[in-house]
Amino acid sequence: MLAHFMALWSAMKQRTYIRPPSPADIDRIAMFCTANPAPGARVRNLSELAAGGCLLAATQAGRLAGVVGLDLGRRAMAGPWIRPQAAGPDLGRRMVVAAERLAARYGMTHLIVYPAENATAFFADNGYLKVAGGLGATSARPGMARSIVRRSTRFARRVREVSEALGIPRDYGARHQLRLQPESRALRSIGKDIYGREQKMAPRAAAAWTKMSAAARAEGIAILPVSAFRTVDYQEGLIRAKLEKGHQLEHILAVSAAPGYSEHHSGRAIDVTTPGCEVLEEPFEDTGAFKWLTENAGDFGFALSYPRNNRHGVAYEPWHWMHH
């Protein structure tokens, strides 16, 4: 029995894990990668990718074995960079697949790479074909691309159909650095909102919201729910209603996430208000409720999703909080 356990433990230690790196890993990863000439530039670029959730690291027995990233601006794969002695027979393929799956989470249907000459055959073996500059090639190296539709989930395909019907650009997710937010399957009531409608959130988020709103209330601060979980259909209806009123789609998407990309689908986001404040308007930031949230929400796992000048290009929403 002990021998079996030790063999299993040894196998697990040798297994390769591909996951987002911790911030502490960035310097180590920067020295590992050789894509940019200056270490400072590497750290800066990799930090930006990591902050946006677009960097993946492969580790074996706690040691770095490879890195791959996603450059959303160019809709391109960055890397992979692989430690030769740790590569194994299929690490490169696994990292390419991981990057493709990550790209699919941004709603992308194609992914482009700019490989070094000695890596062209590797990408060709993995289904990448040389393309002309029309697919977004902006590198001196020739681009190669492939369809990653097969990496899409059923939810992603549904979102794509809704987006096409509404005229939402195919590159919406990558352009705004917004991931698809699959609808939560498990929901729990958090009571009624200011309009008397029952609102629901994912169980952990609901529990955290209950504790947070109670803590604020104990200090004389009223934080009231306006909107929590929303379906893709509900989000689609919001946008269709605005289009029918003559609003331009570009302006609508500046203040409302496209269906499939709203954090409300996850059941972990909530819009809030406080008595005496106009609902879902910027002046909420001048209230005691917003000040309390700014100082205390993090203790309950909530964070402001869209601060001023956010990287998503989404309008400032001091009322929108997400449980992480």
Side-chain angles (χ1 to χ4, degrees), residues 178-257:
L178 291 171
R179 290 190 187 189
L180 290 165
Q181 300 285 342
E183 294 171 340
S184 176
R185 295 182 179 181
L187 295 167
R188 199 168 88 187
S189 174
I190 60 169
K192 295 183 177 181
D193 63 20
I194 59 172
Y195 303 111
R197 305 170 301 184
E198 184 184 22
Q199 292 294 332
K200 297 181 179 181
M201 299 185 76
R204 288 186 180 181
W209 161 258
T210 299
K211 291 179 181 177
M212 184 172 74
S213 57
R217 191 162 53 248
E219 296 183 33
I221 301 293
I223 303 176
L224 309 174
V226 176
S227 180
F229 172 74
R230 296 180 198 158
T231 64
V232 171
D233 291 341
Y234 184 93
Q235 196 75 8
E236 179 186 5
L238 289 178
I239 291 178
R240 284 194 184 280
K242 292 181 179 181
L243 287 171
E244 290 170 2
K245 290 180 181 178
H247 296 279
Q248 295 294 315
L249 182 61
E250 181 181 354
H251 297 156
I252 296 171
L253 294 179
V255 296
S256 297

Side-chain angles (χ1 to χ4, degrees), residues 105 155 158-160 162-163 168 172 178-183 231-233 235-236 239 257-263 265-266:
R105 292 184 65 186
F155 179 78
R158 176 186 168 202
V159 168
R160 207 153 45 236
V162 172
S163 295
I168 295 170
Y172 172 86
L178 291 171
R179 290 190 187 189
L180 290 165
Q181 300 285 342
E183 294 171 340
T231 64
V232 171
D233 291 341
Q235 196 75 8
E236 179 186 5
I239 291 178
Y261 296 89
S262 172
E263 291 182 337
H265 303 329
S266 71

Side-chain angles (χ1 to χ4, degrees), residues 21-28:
S22 70
D25 292 333
I26 298 302
D27 286 336
R28 185 165 61 112

Side-chain angles (χ1 to χ4, degrees), residues 15-291:
R15 183 178 297 175
T16 301
Y17 296 91
I18 302 176
R19 57 181 61 143
S22 70
D25 292 333
I26 298 302
D27 286 336
R28 185 165 61 112
I29 290 173
M31 297 306 296
F32 175 80
C33 301
T34 58
N36 296 304
R42 284 202 295 272
V43 172
R44 208 161 40 245
N45 293 343
L46 291 166
S47 294
E48 290 176 1
L49 290 179
C54 290
L55 192 66
L56 298 170
T59 57
Q60 293 174 345
R63 294 191 63 208
L64 189 64
V67 182
V68 67
L70 197 61
D71 184 340
L72 293 177
R74 296 195 301 169
R75 292 26 162 197
M77 189 187 308
W81 301 280
I82 298 172
R83 190 187 301 278
Q85 61 270 34
D90 69 341
L91 179 58
R93 180 192 61 80
R94 286 184 59 196
M95 298 198 73
V96 167
V97 170
E100 291 172 352
R101 286 176 175 162
L102 183 59
R105 292 184 65 186
Y106 287 92
M108 294 169 61
T109 57
H110 289 78
L111 187 60
I112 192 168
V113 294
Y114 301 101
E117 188 173 345
N118 61 358
T120 300
F122 164 77
F123 281 104
D125 288 343
N126 281 276
Y128 284 78
L129 303 174
K130 290 183 179 179
V131 295
L135 196 59
T138 57
S139 171
R141 296 174 181 171
M144 299 179 73
R146 70 162 297 173
S147 168
I148 57 171
V149 171
R150 70 192 183 110
R151 305 292 183 204
S152 300
T153 61
R154 182 181 300 176
F155 179 78
R157 293 193 291 272
R158 176 186 168 202
V159 168
R160 207 153 45 236
E161 291 174 359
V162 172
S163 295
E164 289 176 0
L166 292 172
I168 295 170
R170 287 187 175 184
D171 64 349
Y172 172 86
R175 183 187 302 179
H176 293 280
Q177 300 183 47
L178 291 171
R179 290 190 187 189
L180 290 165
Q181 300 285 342
E183 294 171 340
S184 176
R185 295 182 179 181
L187 295 167
R188 199 168 88 187
S189 174
I190 60 169
K192 295 183 177 181
D193 63 20
I194 59 172
Y195 303 111
R197 305 170 301 184
E198 184 184 22
Q199 292 294 332
K200 297 181 179 181
M201 299 185 76
R204 288 186 180 181
W209 161 258
T210 299
K211 291 179 181 177
M212 184 172 74
S213 57
R217 191 162 53 248
E219 296 183 33
I221 301 293
I223 303 176
L224 309 174
V226 176
S227 180
F229 172 74
R230 296 180 198 158
T231 64
V232 171
D233 291 341
Y234 184 93
Q235 196 75 8
E236 179 186 5
L238 289 178
I239 291 178
R240 284 194 184 280
K242 292 181 179 181
L243 287 171
E244 290 170 2
K245 290 180 181 178
H247 296 279
Q248 295 294 315
L249 182 61
E250 181 181 354
H251 297 156
I252 296 171
L253 294 179
V255 296
S256 297
Y261 296 89
S262 172
E263 291 182 337
H264 288 280
H265 303 329
S266 71
R268 296 185 290 119
I270 187 167
D271 293 340
V272 299
T273 189
T274 196
C277 180
E278 193 169 355
V279 178
L280 306 188
E281 295 291 342
E282 275 194 29
F284 177 71
E285 70 173 352
D286 299 321
T287 66
F290 180 75
K291 183 175 185 297

